[in-house]
């Protein structure tokens, strides 16, 4: 519950500190791939979602600079007023083609997309079914929708089918992460789609951590699992992770995407993302498709990291993605492990409740194509040293 009255904030913060839950920001002063200058000291980062190492790609920077010179650095209005510019229009067509859907719509961020999408698709009298480990923005979208909400245990298809079968809602929507951001595992999209077919539901997939990394040419988790073309699928992905830029998009049937554009408050009432960002994303799509070595390299690094973790005292969750969660358990020991790595010049973030369930605090180790094998070995050696 939020603190009340206002003068209780200090006490609430003290309780956060006692539970080792307070979050802190660190100032990144310079970066060269995963090599950062943070609060005045150099750190090798395993903290970012720059999975393909594209955030400093020269082609992306050049595209942003060229668009900034032509359009300026701000869109100045919402897309439905005068903020929708040439690079936005071209990007949406290219995104739709890239993921094999009839139409796409570009949002300012993944959070804006999900918080706007769910209420645009369902409302009072409808039902929405959400995986228990979905990202916070999907959870918030479900709450804002005012539809009847059902939360099913993580990837529990039997419970979900029972919930769908017993629902008498006019419209049914299943929402799920494709790659779960704190565990690194994939949702069973084929099986989920089959359930949606059986029970006349729409499936909305958040592929924030699969787009660019999984599937042929990095076209995402839906392509990876062979369901990208289903008319029941509404595909959403962010562009600030593997794509290295900013924003998000939703792709699907043309009428569905048009309806989202007409109804999603986070699209209608938000200033458009600057054209220079859209131009950078266009360059990113080209790099994702043409530079397949990036996916191959990060897959090799993942195998190397997992093999090197054998024998360490912490539990590494099963994950074949760039997200490698190392379970420590309690909050303070997790913070201590992160601090010990930081003293050795490494940054692996400590993730604690409420982001993850109590008792499962962890280091969320993220791998990037910008890492070298030597970088991974340095992390492994440091973990062995601390252990």
């Amino acid at each position: 519950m939020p603190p009340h009255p206002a003068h209780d904030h200090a006490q609430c913060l003290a309780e956060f500190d006692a539970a080792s839950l307070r979050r802190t920001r660190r100032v990144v002063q310079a970066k060269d791939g995963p090599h950062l200058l943070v609060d005045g000291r150099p750190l090798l980062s395993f903290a970012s979602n720059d999975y393909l190492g594209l955030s400093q790609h020269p082609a992306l920077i050049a595209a942003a600079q060229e668009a900034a010179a032509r359009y300026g650095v701000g869109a100045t209005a919402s897309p439905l007023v005068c903020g929708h510019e040439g690079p936005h229009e071209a990007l949406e067509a290219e995104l739709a083609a890239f993921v094999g859907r009839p139409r796409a719509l570009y949002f300012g961020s993944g959070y804006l997309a999900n918080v706007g999408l769910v209420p645009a698709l369902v409302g009072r009298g409808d039902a929405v079914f959400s995986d228990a480990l979905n990202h916070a923005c999907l959870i918030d979208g479900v709450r804002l929708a005012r539809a009847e909400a059902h939360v099913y245990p993580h990837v529990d298809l039997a419970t979900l089918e029972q919930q769908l079968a017993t629902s008498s809602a006019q419209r049914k929507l299943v929402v799920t992460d494709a790659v779960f951001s704190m565990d690194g595992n994939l949702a069973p999209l084929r099986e989920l789609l089959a359930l949606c077919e059986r029970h006349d539901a729409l499936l909305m997939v958040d592929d924030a951590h699969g787009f660019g990394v999984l599937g042929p040419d990095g076209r995402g988790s839906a392509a990876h699992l062979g369901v990208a073309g289903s008319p029941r699928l509404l595909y959403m992905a962010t562009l600030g992770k593997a794509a290295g830029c900013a924003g998000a998009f939703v792709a699907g049937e043309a009428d569905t995407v048009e309806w989202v554009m007409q109804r999603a408050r986070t699209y209608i009432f938000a200033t458009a993302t600057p054209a220079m960002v859209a131009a950078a994303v266009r360059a990113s799509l080209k790099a994702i498709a043409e530079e397949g070595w990036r996916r191959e390299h990060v897959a090799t690094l993942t195998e190397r990291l997992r093999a090197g973790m054998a024998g360490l005292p912490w539990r590494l969750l099963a994950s074949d993605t760039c997200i490698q969660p190392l379970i420590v358990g309690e909050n303070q020991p997790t913070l201590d492990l992160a601090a010990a790595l930081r003293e050795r010049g490494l940054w692996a973030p400590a993730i604690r409740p409420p982001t993850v369930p109590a008792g499962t605090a962890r280091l969320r180790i993220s791998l990037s194509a910008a890492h070298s094998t030597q970088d991974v070995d340095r992390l492994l050696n440091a973990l062995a040293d601390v252990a």
Side-chain angles (χ1 to χ4, degrees):
M1 292 292 291
H4 182 79
H7 59 70
D8 285 341
H9 287 148
Q11 176 61 33
C12 290
L13 287 170
E15 292 171 1
F16 255 48
D17 289 337
S20 302
L21 288 175
R22 188 191 287 233
R23 294 174 170 90
T24 58
R25 295 186 299 180
R26 302 186 184 278
V27 180
V28 177
Q29 297 158 305
K31 77 171 134 177
D32 179 13
H35 298 276
L36 311 180
L37 184 66
V38 183
D39 293 332
R41 65 178 300 180
L43 292 177
L44 173 59
S45 173
F46 290 90
S48 89
N49 298 320
D50 189 14
Y51 301 131
L52 297 180
L54 292 177
S55 66
Q56 294 178 283
H57 194 297
L60 277 63
I61 294 171
Q65 290 172 333
E66 182 180 346
R70 180 173 180 182
Y71 294 94
V73 296
T76 76
S78 70
L80 294 175
V81 181
C82 63
H84 185 67
E85 298 172 314
H88 301 104
E89 181 74 8
L91 173 61
E92 289 181 346
E94 290 166 11
L95 285 167
F98 191 77
V99 297
R101 303 314 312 274
R103 186 173 173 188
L105 187 67
Y106 180 49
F107 280 79
S109 73
Y111 214 112
L112 287 175
N114 282 344
V115 168
L117 275 170
V118 182
L121 297 170
V122 289
R124 288 190 176 94
D126 302 327
V128 59
F129 306 82
S130 177
D131 190 288
L133 294 190
N134 278 344
H135 190 269
C137 55
L138 280 175
I139 294 169
D140 289 351
V142 169
R143 289 170 175 166
L144 287 170
R146 301 180 184 178
E148 183 180 288
H150 303 266
V151 177
Y152 59 92
H154 183 47
V155 297
D156 185 338
L157 297 174
T159 297
L160 173 60
E161 178 159 36
Q162 184 180 29
Q163 291 173 343
L164 286 166
T166 56
S167 173
S168 58
Q170 180 179 359
R171 296 183 185 86
K172 300 175 186 178
L173 173 68
V174 176
V175 296
T176 184
D177 282 4
V179 176
F180 290 89
S181 61
M182 291 300 140
D183 285 17
N185 62 313
L186 272 72
L189 297 186
R190 288 195 199 97
E191 293 82 356
L192 286 170
L193 193 59
L195 286 180
C196 289
E197 293 279 0
R198 195 175 309 149
H199 298 283
D200 193 22
L202 187 68
L203 176 62
M204 176 187 156
V205 172
D206 176 347
D207 199 23
H209 300 276
F211 179 79
V213 180
L214 299 176
D217 297 325
R219 297 175 195 271
S221 298
H224 177 64
L225 294 173
V227 298
S230 171
R232 288 192 182 272
L233 176 70
L234 193 63
Y235 179 86
M236 173 269 178
T238 54
L239 300 163
K241 297 179 175 63
C245 299
F249 71 99
V250 57
E253 296 300 294
D255 287 345
T256 303
V257 175
E258 175 69 18
W259 179 250
V260 169
M261 190 181 79
Q262 298 297 328
R263 296 293 297 173
R265 294 169 66 84
T266 54
Y267 183 83
I268 298 167
F269 299 111
T271 298
T273 301
M276 63 180 183
V277 179
V281 177
R282 295 182 66 196
S284 176
L285 290 181
K286 185 176 181 181
I288 289 170
E290 294 180 355
E291 299 179 18
W293 65 266
R294 295 178 181 273
R295 283 182 294 281
E296 294 169 7
H297 179 58
V298 79
T300 299
L301 294 180
T302 301
E303 293 175 4
R304 189 179 189 92
L305 179 77
R306 294 192 66 83
M309 289 284 193
L312 293 177
W314 308 285
R315 179 167 63 98
L316 187 65
L317 292 186
S319 168
D320 295 325
T321 68
C322 300
I323 301 165
Q324 295 296 315
L326 193 64
I327 305 298
V328 180
E330 297 306 315
N331 297 338
Q332 192 56 52
T334 306
L335 290 172
D336 293 342
L337 178 56
L341 291 177
R342 197 159 52 248
E343 287 301 311
R344 290 161 174 80
L346 297 155
W347 189 358
I351 307 297
R352 293 153 289 158
T355 306
V356 294
T360 69
R362 65 198 65 182
L363 297 187
R364 182 187 184 273
I365 298 168
S366 298
L367 294 172
S368 168
H371 285 125
S372 66
T373 54
Q374 292 79 10
D375 291 336
V376 171
D377 289 346
R378 182 178 165 191
L379 174 62
L380 290 170
N381 290 336
L383 286 166
D385 184 38
V386 174

